[in-house]
Structure formats: C-alpha cells, structure tokens
Amino acid sequence: MSYTGPDFEPPQRRRSPLRRPLTVAIAALVPGALLGWGVYAAVGGPDDGDTGGSDRAGAVRTSAAPSAGASSPGDSASAFPHGDDGKKPAGSSPAPTSKTSPSAAQPPASGPLKGKVVVIDPGHNPANFQHASEINRKVNVGTHWKECDTTGTATNAGWPEAKFTLDVAHRLRTLLEAQGATVKLTQDGDRPYGPCVDERARIGNEAHADAAISIHADGSGAGNRGFHVIMPGPVHEGAADTRAIAAPSAELGKRVAGNFVRVTGTAPSNYLGEGTGLVTRTDLGGLNLSTVPKVFIECGNMRDSKDAALLTSGSWRQKAAQGMSEGIVSFLRG
Ligand code: ZN
C-alpha cells in the first residue's frame, strides 16, 4: 500500500525557518552542557551518561522565529519526505531487535524533571498495515482533512519505521523517567492501529504535557541523509491554533536538534533545512492540533543504506534517544 503521507503532504514553501547554522547552536549548547554537568550529576543523572544533560537555559539564544508556511515544492525530496515507495515491508525482520526494558525504570523520588510531563508519540503503528481502511479514513486537522494515520516507511531490507519509532520511544521513556519525568506514550504497540493524528495531538494536550515529541524516520531517496526536527509554524484555522506554542516549540526543536547532533555525531539533513536540521511546517495535524510545545523528529532516512545502518543499530538508537532526552531536559529546565 502506498504511503502517501498524511503526516507529510506536499510540503510547504521552505523559507529558511532558521537560517542559523546548527553548528552555531551546537557551539552555544556545549558550554551550557558542560556548565550544567555538575548540577546534573548532583541531582541524579545517569552514571553512565557520556554527556551532560542539563544545558543551561541561556545557552541558546536566537531571535529567529519559525516562519509560517515554509516549504519548497521545488525540493523533490521534501515533497515526499516520508516514504514514497509504497513498498510493504517484508515479513522478515533482519534488523536489530534489541530492546530496552522501559518498564524496569522506576521514576526516582526526585529528579530534575520531577513534576514534568512528557508525551512521546511513536510514529505510525506496526499493525497499521493490517488496517488500511481504518487508517485511511479522514480526520479533520483544522486546516484540512487528512488520513487518520499511515503505515510509515521501512528500510530496503524491510524493517518498518513503526518498529523503529517504538524502540526509540521506549529508550527515551526510560531516560526521561530516570530524570523524574512522568512519561506517556500515545501508543505502545498496544492497539490495533493508529491512533489517528488528531488523537495523537489530543493525548499530549489532555496530559497537559510540558513537552511532546513525535518520533519518525524518513523515507526519502538514496543519498538523502541525516536527521531533521520539524517545528510547528503559526496556524490559526478551524481547530488548529498553534500561535501560543510556535515559539516554545521552536525552542524545544533547537534544543533537541543541538543535543541530537552532539550526542549521536550524526549530521543534520542534507536535503531539508539548509543544514540547520530544523524545518518549520504548517501541514502536520500532529503539530497543528497541539496545544503543548511539540516537535517531530525524523531521525534519518530509512531508504538510504548508510542511514539505515545507523537506524538499525541498537547502540545508535540509544544515542538518538539520549540526544532527544538531553534536548528535552534542556528545554524543561530552561
Ligand atoms: Zn513517519
């Protein structure tokens, strides 16, 4: 079944949401991380962490605001940033199956994120393939109607994106709970399909999340590599009103991107975001309907063999989760 991308419809005109090179953000973040390390360690950061987890609030200061309606029809890759192959993953799954033990993590009595709520949205659902009619029904996302959910993409070897997103979500949950956060997943492989994109947003809203992150991996052309973080542009139409969350979401996005590149050592996208790893969009229901600070992250391109080698590596996924976690911690402590 072809993936037409309810999450990722033909994109908006990209107007350089944040032209500032990510390296600048990184340069700003690193000293903050180092400064914050003592505090972080003192309040119970993971002993095996290889990086500081508490970038200072002042570490990142940019005046750039996400521009509305960015996009670039001329960018063919971005037109189908999420899986244009229509190829159903094979039954076999040669990719890694290493798992974390999320349930084993017991939130500490205290921690830097005590009292904070984080909603993690693992993109798609491993069982969406068996529920085409259900996930194809249209839901209103304020600006327009789009499919409830999609199958997501897969590596060329057939490892589905939905398994990737759930694995990283588990790792991220463990890390955030270790910091004292209350973590909720929008789905945990525990429902037949979905949830729909509007419900994914609603779960974050109703949890009054302090931060929400939707985890994905892209399905673009071979040679397109790297991660990017998607932030909501200002939208005010129908049930969608992102005006209040656009700025904090941009801040969240910058911190996640900066920490992700630092911890994973993976370069930002070479096909979107003009080297910043940051993209602003106004067509995603999961962002448009959010009333809490929220970003998407496309961790890499599953259709590129080099990116796929990273995405299918358990140790790389752990770093990916660590980068996200440190970005979220930085944002929430800011
Ligand atoms: Zn996806």
Side-chain angles (χ1 to χ4, degrees), residues 3 7-8 81-83 122-124 149-153 161-162 165 214-219 296-298:
Y3 177 88
D7 289 350
F8 296 92
H82 208 284
H124 316 282
D149 203 13
T150 53
T151 59
T153 186
E161 178 191 355
T165 66
S214 187
I215 300 171
H216 291 259
D218 214 345
F296 277 42
I297 183 166
E298 295 280 1

Side-chain angles (χ1 to χ4, degrees), residues 52 77 84 89 95 137 144 196 207 265 272 284:
D84 46 39
R137 87 179 165 82
H144 56 294
C196 298
L272 284 170
L284 302 180

Side-chain angles (χ1 to χ4, degrees), residues 34-236:
L34 295 173
L35 281 172
W37 171 246
V39 176
Y40 175 75
V43 294
D47 295 336
D48 58 349
D50 57 354
T51 54
S54 57
D55 302 316
R56 288 289 174 81
V60 175
R61 281 290 173 264
T62 110
S63 57
S67 52
S71 150
S72 115
D75 185 338
S76 60
S78 66
F80 304 97
H82 208 284
D84 46 39
D85 49 86
K87 202 169 181 179
K88 182 175 180 177
S92 64
S93 180
T97 54
S98 71
K99 293 180 180 301
T100 56
S101 302
S103 59
Q106 295 297 323
S110 64
L113 297 191
K114 180 176 172 57
K116 300 292 188 182
V117 177
V118 179
V119 167
I120 303 171
D121 177 36
H124 316 282
N125 182 315
N128 275 357
F129 284 105
Q130 283 84 50
H131 297 273
S133 61
E134 290 94 338
I135 67 169
N136 284 333
R137 87 179 165 82
K138 297 290 196 336
V139 298
N140 192 307
V141 299
T143 50
H144 56 294
W145 292 78
K146 66 195 310 183
E147 289 84 357
C148 153
D149 203 13
T150 53
T151 59
T153 186
T155 63
N156 291 327
W159 194 50
E161 178 191 355
K163 289 191 175 179
F164 168 83
T165 66
L166 206 49
D167 177 273
V168 175
H170 290 160
R171 295 171 189 271
L172 178 56
R173 176 172 62 186
T174 299
L175 292 167
L176 291 170
E177 286 181 344
Q179 297 290 305
T182 298
V183 179
K184 183 177 179 60
L185 268 57
T186 59
Q187 59 95 4
D188 196 4
D190 53 354
R191 48 193 299 162
Y193 64 89
C196 298
V197 293
D198 56 341
E199 184 179 351
R200 288 176 188 265
R202 190 161 59 245
I203 290 169
N205 299 345
E206 292 180 351
H208 302 290
D210 296 287
I213 186 166
S214 187
I215 300 171
H216 291 259
D218 214 345
S220 188
N224 288 337
R225 296 196 60 192
F227 77 92
H228 63 278
V229 174
I230 305 171
M231 309 173 296
V235 175
H236 185 208

Side-chain angles (χ1 to χ4, degrees), residues 201-296:
R202 190 161 59 245
I203 290 169
N205 299 345
E206 292 180 351
H208 302 290
D210 296 287
I213 186 166
S214 187
I215 300 171
H216 291 259
D218 214 345
S220 188
N224 288 337
R225 296 196 60 192
F227 77 92
H228 63 278
V229 174
I230 305 171
M231 309 173 296
V235 175
H236 185 208
E237 186 175 348
D241 186 353
T242 65
R243 292 172 297 175
I245 67 156
S249 297
E251 187 66 26
L252 173 63
K254 284 181 284 188
R255 289 171 184 256
V256 168
N259 282 277
F260 191 90
V261 72
R262 180 173 56 80
V263 176
T264 66
T266 305
S269 170
N270 65 4
Y271 60 100
L272 284 170
E274 299 176 334
T276 65
L278 298 169
V279 174
T280 299
R281 290 178 59 168
T282 56
D283 63 318
L284 302 180
L287 294 180
N288 287 359
L289 297 176
S290 182
T291 58
V292 300
K294 184 175 180 180
V295 297
F296 277 42

